């Protein structure tokens, strides 16, 4: 029996293997999708097909698991003409990936705002006084 057959058996018998929850399956999908996304040789249409296959929510969860380095590589892979300054950070690289993949296939659902992405505003006084 191959690992693919074993996984199919586990998924195919939810009553017998009721301890395997939807959260566990989502984690497995994200891990497998991350493996696929970070492998070399994929084109933008391959990654868009993966997004369509697993759905926007799990695709966003997969993007959330990428390191800054992996996100930059992904952005460069799907858009070799990307300006290095425009993909210099994790969030910028992921935004570029989303923008680049939008015309391919269906438009993505709006992503929920991530915690801490807005940053805190301390005002001008805090900037002048350092506190």
């Amino acid at each position: 029996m191959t690992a693919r057959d074993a996984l199919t058996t586990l998924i195919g018998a939810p009553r017998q293997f009721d301890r395997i929850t939807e959260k566990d399956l989502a984690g497995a999908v994200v891990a497998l999708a991350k493996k696929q996304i970070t492998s070399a040789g994929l084109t933008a249409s391959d990654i868009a097909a993966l997004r369509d296959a697993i759905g926007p929510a799990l695709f966003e969860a997969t993007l959330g698991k990428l390191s800054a380095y992996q996100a930059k590589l992904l952005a460069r892979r799907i858009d070799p003409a990307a300006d290095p300054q425009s993909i210099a950070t994790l969030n910028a690289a992921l935004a570029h990936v989303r923008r680049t993949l939008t015309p391919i296939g269906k438009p993505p659902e709006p992503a929920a705002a991530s915690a801490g992405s807005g940053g805190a505003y301390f005002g001008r006084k805090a900037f002048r006084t350092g506190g």
Side-chain angles (χ1 to χ4, degrees):
M1 176 178 268
T2 66
R4 187 180 304 263
D5 295 336
L7 188 58
T8 303
T9 302
L10 288 174
I11 294 170
R15 288 186 181 170
Q16 187 175 5
F17 304 109
D18 59 347
R19 300 264 195 279
I20 299 174
T21 64
E22 189 67 26
K23 184 177 178 181
D24 298 327
L25 294 174
V29 168
V30 167
L32 292 170
K34 181 180 176 187
K35 173 84 172 166
Q36 186 71 19
I37 283 176
T38 56
S39 63
L42 292 181
T43 63
S45 48
D46 294 335
I47 295 170
L50 176 68
R51 178 195 61 203
D52 294 342
I54 67 173
L58 289 174
F59 186 74
E60 285 298 319
T62 304
L63 291 180
K65 296 288 184 181
L66 295 178
S67 68
Y69 177 74
Q70 290 169 331
K72 290 176 199 176
L73 285 179
L74 177 61
R76 276 191 227 117
R77 187 179 315 129
I78 63 174
D79 183 13
D83 177 31
Q85 293 299 322
S86 70
I87 58 171
T89 64
L90 172 65
N91 288 335
L94 291 178
H96 186 78
V97 167
R98 289 181 188 106
R99 270 193 316 272
T100 305
L101 291 178
T102 297
I104 301 172
K106 298 179 275 185
E109 294 178 2
S114 61
S117 63
Y121 175 70
F122 297 110
R124 290 180 57 187
K125 182 178 178 186
F127 178 75
R128 285 193 311 260
T129 61

